[in-house]
Amino acid sequence: MSEKKPKKVFIDGPITPEFVAKSIASHSTKKDIGAHSIFLGQVRNDLIGDKAVAAIEYTAYPEMADLKFHEIREAAFAAYPLTCLHIYHSLGTVLAGEISLFVFTSAIHRAEAIKACEFIVERIKHEIPVWGKEILEDGSAVWKVNTV
Amino acid sequence: MSEKKPKKVFIDGPITPEFVAKSIASHSTKKDIGAHSIFLGQVRNDLIGDKAVAAIEYTAYPEMADLKFHEIREAAFAAYPLTCLHIYHSLGTVLAGEISLFVFTSAIHRAEAIKACEFIVERIKHEIPVWGKEILEDGSAVWKVNTV
Amino acid sequence: MDTEKSKITLLAFGQLTDITGQSTWEMEDISDIDQLKAILIEKYPALAQAKYLVAVNMEVIRGNATLKPGDAVALLPPFSGG
Amino acid sequence: MDTEKSKITLLAFGQLTDITGQSTWEMEDISDIDQLKAILIEKYPALAQAKYLVAVNMEVIRGNATLKPGDAVALLPPFSGG
């Protein structure tokens, strides 16, 4: 099943556990779902030199990001028999320990939900024009470099 | 890192979205975590003949289940560099649309969290002595048969 | 031998309890799994059709094995958790 | 040709804005990506060292391609979302 309507992905600031709970709860009426797979990206307090990361400030090329999120959604629905698919990404400031990415797939059986979630997370990391600026504990900043 | 202390896995009744949220929130102080992977098993309202499943009643061989959960935890920590690992499974009655299994892995990087979560879910399905009795909408019951 | 000590404990789960009518009971003078299965099938003929694993003291045993007094022998139908 | 229409829009993101000092601006009379890159490197020498992709109207273009008036050309450093 493909969903054509564009979905709001970007969230201002961190994604809260309560937001995740609300999203899970909203699926209790979809009683054909047997499995949910959720990925959460959390901001780490990595040491850059001898200073810890206190927060990441995310910026995006929003129009292109929306287009790419849409393409990834379409590809996921084409590749896996999903019942539901939600993607949320933070913009702005997210503190270390807070959540900046939330991918949520639901399917009748577990294999599809799990595989689709992994597929989407990988594609987001490689294809979505979002940049993180790591704000260090002393107020200085470095641009984040993602490991592959 | 291995955790030797036994952990409480079984929960009486459904696993609520609020419980999941609380579990996520408790990791915000672990700032070396970069990725969480969560699997949730939800009870489906499958048709058995022409009657829908209204609920599943779960029973277990609890001592053996605890031993097997412990073995799975140890194997997961040995195979993947996890920061945290939590497993919760319902006993008793869980209605269609409610959650009966919650597997939660956390790691520095996404690949380990995702792979470990999948590994654990597969082992749970095959190795944990738990049985579901499907209660149909007319009150009759059939023993659940898991698909592979 | 103390008769109390010659007993093994049987545990049945899931759909097998529909056949055995009980989930835990004791049996005496059982020397191995093959003998146990034969006795159980005689008592509960439907068990011959049932699919199950045998666990002795919480470890699954495939094939035959000697049983000793005090063993907990569990009859485990296919798991359906999760 | 209307000069307004001969313009392309440039967009820079992430660490590239530290080099360009601006995130969006217009440029005139650019015929293709190779020419654009040469002009940009002349103006911002640090760009020669920078790793980035070029997207034209939100599609990543590898190699050279003709640019037409009205195109939005984005300079995209390695993504670091998630």
Side-chain angles (χ1 to χ4, degrees):
Chain A
M1 185 182 63
S2 166
E3 291 193 23
K4 296 294 177 188
K5 69 179 191 308
K7 308 250 289 182
K8 187 176 143 39
V9 167
F10 287 120
I11 291 202
D12 191 31
I15 293 155
T16 64
E18 294 69 31
F19 182 87
V20 176
K22 227 174 129 181
S23 198
I24 294 167
S26 74
H27 291 76
S28 66
T29 54
K30 299 193 178 178
K31 298 184 183 175
D32 56 335
I33 292 174
H36 303 291
S37 185
I38 291 174
F39 178 85
L40 302 173
Q42 185 167 300
V43 172
R44 287 194 311 268
N45 66 346
D46 284 353
L47 280 181
I48 306 293
D50 60 350
K51 309 252 180 334
V53 170
I56 296 182
E57 268 178 30
Y58 289 102
T59 52
Y61 181 2
E63 297 82 1
M64 182 174 164
D66 284 345
L67 183 71
K68 294 296 164 189
F69 277 126
H70 182 73
E71 288 176 11
I72 292 170
R73 286 179 57 80
E74 292 294 303
F77 274 113
Y80 302 96
L82 295 177
T83 311
C84 280
L85 161 50
H86 305 275
I87 303 171
Y88 301 97
H89 196 299
S90 295
L91 287 185
T93 302
V94 181
L95 302 178
E98 292 183 330
I99 290 162
S100 60
L101 174 61
F102 171 25
V103 178
F104 186 3
T105 54
S106 307
I108 296 175
H109 298 293
R110 68 186 181 280
E112 292 77 16
I114 291 171
K115 293 296 173 203
C117 190
E118 184 175 7
F119 166 89
I120 292 161
V121 171
E122 288 306 310
R123 289 198 55 169
I124 288 172
K125 293 274 180 180
H126 291 104
E127 298 177 34
I128 299 294
V130 169
W131 298 274
K133 190 181 211 173
E134 293 174 319
I135 312 299
L136 308 186
E137 50 191 344
D138 66 348
S140 63
V142 292
W143 289 97
K144 182 166 184 268
V145 178
N146 271 10
T147 51
V148 179
Chain B
M1 185 181 66
S2 167
E3 290 193 24
K4 295 294 179 188
K5 69 179 196 301
K7 309 250 292 183
K8 187 177 144 39
V9 168
F10 287 120
I11 292 202
D12 191 31
I15 294 157
T16 65
E18 293 71 30
F19 182 87
V20 176
K22 227 173 131 180
S23 196
I24 294 167
S26 73
H27 291 75
S28 65
T29 55
K30 300 194 177 175
K31 297 183 183 177
D32 57 334
I33 291 173
H36 303 291
S37 185
I38 291 174
F39 178 84
L40 302 172
Q42 183 166 302
V43 172
R44 287 195 309 269
N45 66 346
D46 284 353
L47 280 181
I48 306 292
D50 59 351
K51 309 250 180 336
V53 171
I56 296 182
E57 267 177 32
Y58 289 101
T59 52
Y61 180 4
E63 297 84 2
M64 182 173 164
D66 285 344
L67 182 72
K68 295 296 163 190
F69 277 126
H70 181 74
E71 288 176 10
I72 293 170
R73 285 179 57 80
E74 291 294 302
F77 274 113
Y80 303 96
L82 295 177
T83 311
C84 280
L85 161 51
H86 304 276
I87 303 172
Y88 300 99
H89 196 299
S90 295
L91 288 184
T93 301
V94 180
L95 302 179
E98 293 182 330
I99 290 162
S100 60
L101 174 61
F102 172 25
V103 178
F104 186 4
T105 56
S106 306
I108 296 175
H109 297 294
R110 67 186 183 280
E112 292 78 15
I114 291 171
K115 292 297 172 202
C117 190
E118 184 175 8
F119 167 90
I120 292 161
V121 171
E122 287 307 309
R123 289 197 55 169
I124 289 172
K125 292 275 181 180
H126 291 104
E127 298 176 33
I128 300 294
V130 169
W131 298 274
K133 190 180 209 173
E134 294 174 319
I135 311 299
L136 308 186
E137 52 192 344
D138 66 348
S140 62
V142 292
W143 289 96
K144 182 166 182 270
V145 178
N146 271 9
T147 50
V148 179
Chain C
M1 188 185 279
D2 181 340
T3 57
E4 189 61 32
K5 284 193 176 159
S6 76
K7 287 176 179 168
I8 61 170
T9 303
L10 266 288
L11 299 157
F13 294 95
Q15 47 271 55
L16 295 186
T17 59
D18 293 346
I19 295 172
T20 60
Q22 53 190 346
S23 56
T24 175
W25 68 99
E26 294 186 329
M27 291 176 73
E28 277 182 67
D29 301 321
I30 307 289
S31 61
D32 62 27
I33 292 175
D34 283 353
Q35 186 202 0
L36 173 66
K37 284 182 169 175
I39 293 172
L40 288 172
I41 285 174
E42 202 168 319
K43 193 166 176 194
Y44 310 111
L47 265 189
Q49 269 36 269
K51 201 181 158 196
Y52 64 94
L53 293 172
V54 174
V56 178
N57 303 327
M58 303 195 283
E59 284 301 331
V60 170
I61 306 290
R62 295 170 198 276
N64 196 17
T66 304
L67 295 174
K68 57 185 195 306
D71 279 349
V73 181
L75 311 178
L76 310 174
F79 306 151
S80 55
Chain D
M1 191 186 275
D2 182 344
T3 57
E4 189 60 32
K5 284 192 176 159
S6 74
K7 289 176 179 168
I8 60 170
T9 302
L10 267 286
L11 299 158
F13 295 96
Q15 48 270 57
L16 295 185
T17 59
D18 294 346
I19 295 172
T20 60
Q22 54 190 345
S23 58
T24 175
W25 68 98
E26 293 187 330
M27 290 175 74
E28 277 181 66
D29 301 322
I30 307 290
S31 61
D32 61 29
I33 291 174
D34 283 351
Q35 186 202 0
L36 173 67
K37 283 183 171 175
I39 293 172
L40 287 172
I41 285 173
E42 203 169 318
K43 193 166 177 193
Y44 310 111
L47 264 189
Q49 271 33 271
K51 202 181 159 195
Y52 63 93
L53 293 172
V54 174
V56 178
N57 302 327
M58 304 196 282
E59 284 301 332
V60 171
I61 305 290
R62 295 169 199 275
N64 196 18
T66 303
L67 296 173
K68 55 184 195 307
D71 278 349
V73 180
L75 311 179
L76 310 173
F79 307 151
S80 55

